[in-house]
Amino acid sequence: MPPINFNDIEVLLPLIILVIWACLLLLVDLFIPKKHKWLTALLAAFGLALTLGFTLSQLGSESNGFCATGKPSICMVVLDGFSVLVNALLLLTGLLGVALAYGYLKRMGIERGEYYTLMLFSISGMMLMAQASDLIIVFLALELLSLPLYVLSAFARSNSDSQEAGLKYFLLGAFSSGFILYGIALVYGATGSTSLSQIFEIASVGTSSLLLTIGAALILVGLGFKVAAVPFHMWTPDVYQGAPTPVTAFMTAGAKIAGFAALLRVFGSAFPNLSEDITPILWALSAATMIVGNLLAIAQTNIKRMLAYSSIAHTGYILMAFVPYGNPEVAPVSIAAGLFYLFAYTITNFGAWGVVIALEQKESKGLQISDYAGLRRKYPVLAGAMTVFMFSLIGFPPTLGMVGKFYLFRAVLSGGYTGLAIIGVVTSLVSAFYYLRVVVNMYMFAGEPKTDNEFWLRFTIAGAALVTVVFSLVPQGLFAWASRAVLKLF
Amino acid sequence: MLFSEATTTSFFSLAPWLVFAPVIGLLINIIIGGRFSEKLIGAVASVASGATFIVSLLLAYSVWVGHGQGESIFLAEWIHVGSLSLDWTFRVDSLSTTMMLVVSGVGTLIHIYAIGYMHEDVRFKNDPSRFRRFFVFLNLFIAAMMILVSGDSYLMLFVGWEGVGLCSFLLIGFWFEMDTLARPSWANSNAAKKAFIVNRIGDLGFLIAGFLMFWYLGSLQFDEVFAAAPELADTQPGIIIAITLFLLVGVAGKSAQIPLFVWLPDAMAGPTPVSALIHAATMVTAGVYLIARSAPLYNLVEGAQSVVVIVGAATALFAATIAVGQYDIKKVLAYSTISQLGFMVAAVGMGAYVAGIFHLVTHAFFKALLFLSAGSVILGLERGHHLLAHAHNGGAADHDDEEEVRRTEPAEVFDPGDMRNMGGIRKTMPVTFWLYMIGSLALVGIIPFAGFWSKDEILLDASLKYPAVYWLLSTAAFFTAFYMGRQIWMVFFGTARHEAAANAQESPKIMTVPLMVLAGLSILGGLLNLPFKGFHNLGHWLEFTLGEVELLGLDPTVAGLSTLLALAAIFISWLLYGRVTLKQADRDPLKKPLGFVFTGMENKWFVDEAYKAMIVDRYTDVCRFLADVIDSRFWHDWFHEKLIVGTYNWFSNTGLNYYADQKIIDAFANGLGRTTKYLSASVRRIQNGFVRSYALSVFLGVVLILGYLILK
């Protein structure tokens, strides 16, 4: 075993800090009395902020870590602009997740310190996913991010829905992990390596083998499951509805970001030569996801379920960005657009879930869309923020969602996938129906919604609404960052 | 020298704050004003306006220090399309700073006055929540007006022009659902709409002028337009004439000249501070400013100048005659404003830009004073009226209970603005009386009040250039003195013709103190530009912008004659209205000697009726024609029903329906329906909550993908 050098540590420094922090938090939490669990939340948030600081300090640096002896190109993990951007986004997700969870857990009587620790572990997995440059690490990261999520889904132990969600997620997650593992095995069989750069080198020599293609496809299936692409999405509505709402909010954003990061990492660095075979599959997955997600969302009356289908639909939109991944001319812009969309979706999504959390009552009350009636009269700011989020999810100006969709459709069109763009536009149009129904309920019907005054929740909602609007007016900086981050990958 | 240069440059860069300051003020009031007390709301708005005044002062100082050297302050890029390139640029020179000082100075005084006025007004009207809205609008107006006077291009000027138009609309219709009698009525909103729509006509003229400028002169920026104009005047003078005349249409709309003046009298429906600020002192003078600003264009075409002079002079006389026959205290002032605007337009039309701007400034002082004093009178009567209503109900003990006052609103119709209800107010409201006297003397043009000097300069210019116009204007000045005399006698002298007038109460200090400042300005305003050598301050000041101007001395004949006319008119008005004590039911003493002529004056020469018969009704006819004949009979009945539906029916009845519809389309639609049903059923079968079916779905997906890869 080669000695671990300092450079290896440096590459994974934020991740290592986060893991250590999470372990310490697990211990410290034991000594925090039940009344003062806010301290745990605060410490978790502090750990995330600290890690975020270290992550951002890595901006601009690029190196590989844990490389094979004498072969500096074969490495386990990588640090580059892309990983920094994705990690920053993930840590932001974590911070938002803590902010949403704190009041909710107390209100629902499920306040336990492990919640935050599990979240930190899950984020570590996600970050590792973004930095992985070896299929084995990808798999490890996937499991590291998934297992805490299974537990978190079942966190409301007294609630049978939550238990069911956890178990279902676990079973199906295991099922899909099997596919990934099988895919990795086939790829190894075809190329004799699990290193992404090695696979690329070997695959680019000679003709592509069916074994390799099928292996890649199976990995795609597994990642497709994580990001909830149709037809691997069936778990999503049940799990998202059953899990405690802050967990759902965290999952919709965090797991999605990590899944897409892995998708990009694996397919962008290892399988660009297979694009001829993979692109049609991505095309079909994207189209099916957009259509099914949006159409089924229409029928929902429960807001969590509706947002779950909405989350599926948005997976479809983001997948659009990956369709031209093998075309080096279009891919950078397209992937950058996808990253931007992920950011837009994360912010908007957290805002929307924040409003859901604000209105949720014990025993899953206050979750029907009809429960939003009269919100404008009683809580105009909350209703205004929700309107902003709904508009952003539709892709209506002046919101981040609109800018994201604009970049996305532009990239897809420049890649020549006009049909996909049309499906995207038409399904967005369809989506207006169910998003606006919430707005209509809030503004035009009378009702008596109830919510408690929780500072951090309100703060998150207001902040998200503000960012959704303000950044839509000055999106260039972010997009430029995303473009810079992905440029090195192609 | 070095120091002054340094300060100069730094002050010029303050120009954008002309607009920012009021905008910040209104934003504060919009966002957190809901928690403020009325005093604080008013203070915020007044401070914002006052800040604008201070910035204006600093800018004017910078221009003065720089020996009239103005500057254009770039703020942001705006439009860069094709050959059109315009920016948000503020033009600071002696002309624009003069306007800024008037607008922000008078504006600030009116803001302060309005704190007192609106405090009572919103209570008489029973909706205190609108207090804040009023000051937001007022600040918005200041911002828009500042854009108007400081814009460096016709388009930026137009933005301000439309902005003030919007504020005018909002403020005329401030009590949009009730009239002055606190009863439901749409009169105020109709007045607002009238003002807005009439101004649209004028604005269309402005727009066309702008299009012509861009098309023929290639720019809308002032200096570029003026630089390119002389060449065009040589080759195609008609275009310049068209531009200037279309601009005149815009001026006629905004500055209430013939034929578009009809909106201004109705605009008095707005609260009195609005009448003073927007519809007397500032916004309506925008047209005068526009012509003065466009002086390099007008100077090129004498024909257009003559038209401007004729329009102005005719308006001056025409409106003055109408003012004689009015009974509403504010209506008299409104027609007086139109008349005085006519004086200004005539002056700038003659090329006497200094005289026009001079009169604009002094008029802003004394007309604001008059309007605000009139507002004080009206509120005084309202106070008296409410006191009476209260006393009649024997509730004198709980005097402060406003609910009580409201509930005991008498059924009797009482108009606190009707001069026939007034009389003898000199005794009950002495402060207001003296202020009103000062304003009136300034307006009438009695030496040494401000109006004398400015009006005399216009008359002198006219006597030298357009003798006929001189006589028109002199006649108008005579009428001016007469209607003001009539008003003074009717309102302040004699005996009270209504209980409310007898019980009128003086206004609080917050209203009277700003009036005293305005009164001081009305007395001393003449010092700006005395017709003696070495005292042409305004003339020299504006020379920086307008170029060489003619500086006239005092002509004893002109000055003597106008003073004589004014004194004669006041004397006649005393004979008719002051000597005898009028009763409420009395007919106007003029009615008998003048007969139908006075009926014409009373009814504004039936201009509104004529417009209704000539334009509004014709327009309605056209609309009705379009609705009944074109849309209903032709489009719906014939084209739609007969042609389209008929043809369609014909097609369907020839068996096409059977083949096309039943065999093909129905089959397809049914098939589609069946497929959808089948699909949704299968989806529902899968989305059943069982993990095994979910796994099956994943598995099927895998099979599909692998199948594709293998079979491809």
Side-chain angles (χ1 to χ4, degrees):
Chain A
M1 186 183 161
I4 292 172
N5 64 26
F6 187 66
N7 177 52
D8 293 341
I9 306 280
E10 212 174 82
V11 169
L12 281 185
L13 186 61
L15 183 62
I16 292 168
I17 290 171
L18 189 61
V19 172
I20 294 174
W21 191 278
C23 293
L24 288 177
L25 189 62
L26 197 58
L27 292 175
V28 170
D29 180 59
L30 293 174
F31 301 100
I32 295 176
K34 194 139 181 46
K35 259 201 252 166
H36 297 293
K37 286 301 178 195
W38 59 269
L39 201 57
T40 317
L42 191 71
L43 284 171
F46 184 75
L48 288 167
L50 187 74
T51 316
L52 184 60
F54 275 101
T55 302
L56 291 176
S57 75
Q58 287 180 324
L59 254 179
S61 53
E62 277 177 38
S63 61
N64 295 314
F66 298 97
C67 300
T69 337
K71 286 182 191 163
S73 66
I74 305 175
C75 300
M76 286 297 187
V77 289
V78 61
L79 166 70
D80 56 12
F82 175 74
S83 76
V84 172
L85 175 61
V86 171
N87 283 350
L89 200 50
L90 286 167
L91 290 163
L92 178 70
T93 311
L95 281 169
L96 291 170
V98 173
L100 288 194
Y102 171 63
Y104 179 90
L105 296 180
K106 205 151 77 174
R107 176 147 44 100
M108 298 294 163
I110 50 173
E111 191 180 33
R112 283 191 300 277
E114 295 85 356
Y115 182 93
Y116 303 106
T117 318
L118 285 168
M119 227 170 98
L120 295 196
F121 280 128
S122 183
I123 294 172
S124 333
M126 295 171 184
M127 287 170 69
L128 187 58
M129 195 97 145
Q131 291 194 276
S133 65
D134 191 287
L135 286 175
I136 296 297
I137 300 293
V138 169
F139 184 72
L140 272 179
L142 190 72
E143 291 305 299
L144 180 52
L145 87 86
S146 299
L147 287 169
L149 282 185
Y150 303 149
V151 182
L152 282 173
S153 300
F155 202 75
R157 277 187 305 185
S158 53
N159 185 336
S160 63
D161 282 350
S162 177
Q163 289 179 1
E164 184 190 328
L167 190 61
K168 265 185 189 167
Y169 195 19
F170 172 63
L171 287 174
L172 289 164
F175 187 59
S176 78
S177 290
F179 281 106
I180 290 202
L181 211 49
Y182 193 37
I184 293 173
L186 288 183
V187 169
Y188 182 75
T191 60
S193 172
T194 54
S195 161
L196 297 179
S197 53
Q198 279 289 94
I199 295 170
F200 171 70
E201 272 173 35
I202 294 165
S204 55
V205 184
T207 54
S208 66
S209 71
L210 187 60
L211 205 57
L212 182 63
T213 316
I214 288 177
L218 289 178
I219 294 174
L220 178 61
V221 169
L223 293 175
F225 174 86
K226 275 290 150 214
V227 300
V230 174
F232 319 116
H233 68 286
M234 304 289 270
W235 58 279
T236 319
D238 291 7
V239 173
Y240 282 7
Q241 190 183 0
T245 314
V247 177
T248 311
F250 175 62
M251 273 195 293
T252 52
K256 201 163 278 185
I257 296 169
F260 277 113
L263 197 63
L264 177 66
R265 195 63 100 182
V266 172
F267 282 80
S269 14
F271 305 132
N273 303 317
L274 304 180
S275 67
E276 207 180 314
D277 292 329
I278 299 293
T279 292
I281 298 174
L282 282 171
W283 194 103
L285 285 181
S286 165
T289 311
M290 285 189 284
I291 294 171
V292 171
N294 279 312
L295 286 184
L296 289 183
I298 291 177
Q300 307 308 322
T301 53
N302 180 296
I303 189 125
K304 282 177 85 173
R305 228 175 153 74
M306 184 207 97
L307 284 176
Y309 279 107
S310 143
S311 151
I312 296 172
H314 281 90
T315 295
Y317 293 119
I318 301 164
L319 264 179
M320 265 178 28
F322 290 83
V323 172
Y325 83 97
N327 178 350
E329 301 210 335
V330 185
V333 183
S334 160
I335 303 286
L339 280 179
F340 186 90
Y341 200 90
L342 267 175
F343 171 75
Y345 177 72
T346 303
I347 298 293
T348 309
N349 187 52
F350 263 105
W353 283 108
V355 178
V356 173
I357 288 169
L359 286 171
E360 185 173 344
Q361 304 295 322
K362 274 196 173 171
E363 288 153 12
S364 303
K365 294 242 168 57
L367 287 173
Q368 296 302 309
I369 293 176
S370 53
D371 290 330
Y372 284 67
L375 194 62
R376 185 201 76 93
R377 195 151 281 284
K378 212 158 159 208
Y379 303 104
V381 177
L382 209 56
M386 190 61 165
T387 310
V388 168
F389 302 135
M390 291 297 119
F391 278 10
S392 181
L393 288 173
I394 299 171
F396 206 79
T399 58
L400 270 179
M402 177 264 163
V403 183
K405 281 211 169 103
F406 169 74
Y407 284 140
L408 207 53
F409 290 151
R410 194 180 60 175
V412 170
L413 281 175
S414 67
Y417 301 96
T418 318
L420 201 55
I422 290 175
I423 294 176
V425 171
V426 170
T427 51
S428 313
L429 212 63
V430 169
S431 75
F433 178 78
Y434 59 88
Y435 291 127
L436 287 182
R437 198 162 51 195
V438 179
V439 178
V440 166
N441 263 287
M442 290 191 303
Y443 280 81
M444 296 186 180
F445 298 145
E448 282 296 316
K450 276 198 300 258
T451 160
D452 301 326
N453 190 358
E454 285 163 11
F455 172 75
W456 286 108
L457 181 59
R458 298 242 166 137
F459 179 79
T460 311
I461 294 170
L466 207 65
V467 170
T468 304
V469 173
V470 171
F471 270 82
S472 78
L473 304 175
V474 283
Q476 297 90 345
L478 258 174
F479 188 69
W481 187 14
S483 302
R484 269 200 310 279
V486 298
L487 211 55
K488 289 276 160 55
L489 294 178
F490 295 94
Chain B
M1 195 62 206
L2 202 65
F3 171 72
S4 68
E5 269 174 13
T7 49
T8 305
T9 33
S10 64
F11 287 159
F12 275 129
S13 61
L14 285 176
W17 287 96
L18 291 171
V19 180
F20 292 164
V23 168
I24 290 170
L26 78 91
L27 286 180
I28 291 175
N29 272 338
I30 284 181
I31 295 168
I32 48 176
R35 295 160 192 218
F36 289 0
S37 66
E38 284 190 355
K39 285 225 171 65
L40 192 52
I41 290 172
V44 167
S46 305
V47 167
S49 176
T52 313
F53 180 63
I54 290 167
V55 173
S56 307
L57 272 178
L58 293 174
L59 291 176
Y61 170 78
S62 304
V63 174
W64 180 65
V65 167
H67 303 287
Q69 205 59 48
E71 205 161 305
S72 292
I73 310 300
F74 170 83
L75 178 65
E77 285 195 357
W78 188 15
I79 302 174
H80 288 270
V81 184
S83 63
L84 180 67
S85 87
L86 286 170
D87 295 318
W88 286 106
T89 304
F90 294 90
R91 186 190 186 90
V92 183
D93 59 21
S94 59
L95 178 60
S96 64
T97 49
T98 308
M99 291 299 291
M100 289 168 200
L101 286 171
V102 172
V103 172
S104 57
V106 175
T108 305
L109 290 173
I110 293 175
H111 269 74
I112 297 168
Y113 171 94
I115 299 173
Y117 185 91
M118 291 313 289
H119 172 80
E120 296 187 54
D121 199 34
V122 292
R123 281 169 179 72
F124 288 140
K125 300 270 171 33
N126 197 4
D127 186 1
S129 66
R130 280 194 210 177
F131 188 87
R132 177 161 65 119
R133 187 191 301 175
F134 183 83
F135 281 92
V136 169
F137 287 166
L138 225 50
N139 269 177
L140 181 64
F141 170 78
I142 296 285
M145 195 69 200
M146 283 300 151
I147 295 176
L148 196 163
V149 298
S150 64
D152 191 37
S153 67
Y154 280 99
L155 199 61
M156 192 167 154
L157 193 154
F158 189 68
V159 170
W161 186 275
E162 291 300 302
V164 293
L166 168 71
C167 295
S168 165
F169 166 78
L170 292 172
L171 285 163
I172 294 169
F174 189 74
W175 298 110
F176 59 89
E177 74 283 53
M178 58 181 96
D179 63 12
T180 48
L181 307 173
R183 288 181 316 176
S185 145
W186 296 111
N188 290 357
S189 65
N190 284 341
K193 282 185 276 184
K194 185 174 177 183
F196 203 70
I197 292 167
V198 172
N199 265 299
R200 291 282 74 65
I201 301 171
D203 294 346
L204 181 65
F206 192 140
L207 276 176
I208 293 174
F211 297 153
L212 286 173
M213 269 181 232
F214 174 63
W215 192 250
Y216 287 98
L217 299 167
S219 176
L220 290 171
Q221 202 270 336
F222 289 138
D223 289 333
E224 290 171 15
V225 167
F226 301 153
E231 199 184 325
L232 184 68
D234 285 342
T235 53
Q236 288 171 291
I239 302 297
I240 300 283
I241 290 182
I243 290 173
T244 48
L245 289 185
F246 275 120
L247 278 181
L248 179 63
V249 176
V251 171
K254 187 97 357 200
S255 290
Q257 298 296 296
I258 290 174
L260 298 179
F261 66 90
V262 287
W263 66 271
L264 187 57
D266 291 33
M268 296 304 132
T272 301
V274 174
S275 308
L277 178 60
I278 302 185
H279 304 122
T282 57
M283 181 189 85
V284 289
T285 61
V288 180
Y289 169 74
L290 177 63
I291 296 184
R293 178 54 84 194
S294 310
L297 294 181
Y298 281 93
N299 288 340
L300 293 171
V301 278
E302 215 163 297
Q305 282 188 314
S306 309
V307 177
V308 176
V309 174
I310 291 164
V311 166
T315 308
L317 180 58
F318 190 74
T321 59
I322 297 177
V324 172
Q326 297 305 307
Y327 298 106
D328 187 284
I329 184 167
K330 279 172 75 181
K331 280 272 163 70
V332 173
L333 295 176
Y335 280 103
S336 162
T337 303
I338 299 175
S339 167
Q340 297 300 309
L341 287 167
F343 273 87
M344 297 173 214
V345 169
V348 290
M350 286 184 282
Y353 298 106
V354 174
I357 297 292
F358 184 27
H359 198 53
L360 186 159
V361 175
T362 58
H363 177 258
F365 297 153
F366 60 69
K367 193 49 77 59
L369 171 61
L370 282 171
F371 263 115
L372 296 182
S373 307
S376 171
V377 170
I378 292 171
L379 272 191
L381 253 70
E382 289 235 36
R383 287 185 206 108
H385 186 59
H386 279 261
L387 198 65
L388 284 176
H390 211 63
H392 282 305
N393 284 280
D398 48 357
H399 181 75
D400 292 332
D401 190 349
E402 282 152 7
E403 280 294 323
E404 186 75 10
V405 176
R406 252 177 262 132
R407 260 189 283 116
T408 56
E409 197 71 56
E412 171 211 4
V413 178
F414 169 70
D415 181 356
D418 194 331
M419 297 196 293
R420 284 169 297 195
N421 288 336
M422 300 178 185
I425 293 178
R426 175 172 49 109
K427 283 169 231 132
T428 43
M429 302 179 76
V431 181
T432 304
F433 165 67
W434 282 110
L435 294 167
Y436 208 95
M437 281 303 288
I438 293 169
S440 304
L441 290 173
L443 169 59
V444 170
I446 301 295
I447 196 165
F449 292 92
F452 168 78
W453 305 104
S454 57
K455 186 190 286 185
D456 207 60
E457 202 172 321
I458 296 177
L459 290 174
L460 183 55
D461 270 304
S463 72
L464 296 175
K465 290 174 190 157
Y466 295 84
V469 168
Y470 167 71
W471 287 111
L472 272 178
L473 292 180
S474 291
T475 319
F478 173 81
F479 278 112
T480 307
F482 181 79
Y483 63 67
M484 282 320 287
R486 171 175 176 267
Q487 190 174 43
I488 297 269
W489 303 126
M490 279 179 86
V491 173
F492 292 101
F493 288 87
T495 53
R497 288 183 292 279
H498 191 282
E499 285 176 293
N503 289 285
Q505 289 177 333
E506 187 55 83
S507 294
K509 282 239 163 47
I510 193 155
M511 290 169 67
T512 50
V513 170
L515 293 185
M516 289 171 193
V517 179
L518 282 171
L521 291 168
S522 301
I523 297 170
L524 302 173
L527 290 176
L528 282 175
N529 201 30
L530 290 179
F532 308 115
K533 211 167 170 57
F535 288 93
H536 287 107
N537 301 319
L538 191 66
H540 289 302
W541 172 247
L542 290 177
E543 243 177 3
F544 295 137
T545 306
L546 298 169
E548 199 78 7
V549 293
E550 215 176 335
L551 301 171
L552 299 172
L554 185 73
D555 186 325
T557 335
V558 173
L561 184 65
S562 73
T563 309
L564 217 62
L565 279 173
L567 291 174
I570 293 170
F571 178 68
I572 298 172
S573 68
W574 176 75
L575 283 180
L576 287 166
Y577 299 94
R579 197 176 45 154
V580 286
T581 312
L582 295 172
K583 306 239 166 20
Q584 193 182 9
D586 276 355
R587 292 204 312 169
D588 198 280
L590 264 184
K591 197 141 196 160
K592 215 161 145 201
L594 288 181
F596 72 91
V597 176
F598 189 75
T599 314
M601 291 171 166
E602 248 182 330
N603 292 295
K604 309 150 194 173
W605 299 115
F606 300 99
V607 173
D608 276 330
E609 285 76 5
Y611 281 2
K612 183 175 183 316
M614 285 191 304
I615 298 165
V616 180
D617 286 351
R618 297 291 81 75
Y619 178 74
T620 327
D621 288 347
V622 171
C623 295
R624 202 168 290 134
F625 174 77
L626 287 175
D628 289 351
V629 179
I630 303 291
D631 186 64
S632 176
R633 266 186 254 162
F634 169 74
W635 188 253
H636 180 262
D637 291 356
W638 186 77
F639 185 78
H640 217 256
E641 290 293 313
K642 228 175 193 162
L643 203 68
I644 306 236
V645 178
T647 316
Y648 179 79
N649 283 339
W650 180 76
F651 263 115
S652 50
N653 289 336
T654 51
L656 210 134
N657 70 330
Y658 179 73
Y659 294 106
D661 194 44
Q662 291 183 20
K663 287 290 167 195
I664 302 170
I665 297 177
D666 266 14
F668 179 71
N670 287 340
L672 201 68
R674 262 199 297 277
T675 316
T676 316
K677 223 185 265 174
Y678 173 76
L679 274 178
S680 67
S682 47
V683 163
R684 217 177 303 138
R685 259 207 298 282
I686 301 170
Q687 190 77 47
N688 54 8
F690 288 119
V691 172
R692 58 171 183 267
S693 3
Y694 294 2
L696 184 67
S697 158
V698 175
F699 190 69
L700 282 178
V702 173
V703 168
L704 271 176
I705 291 175
L706 294 192
Y708 164 80
L709 286 176
I710 292 167
L711 298 177
K712 163 185 68 107

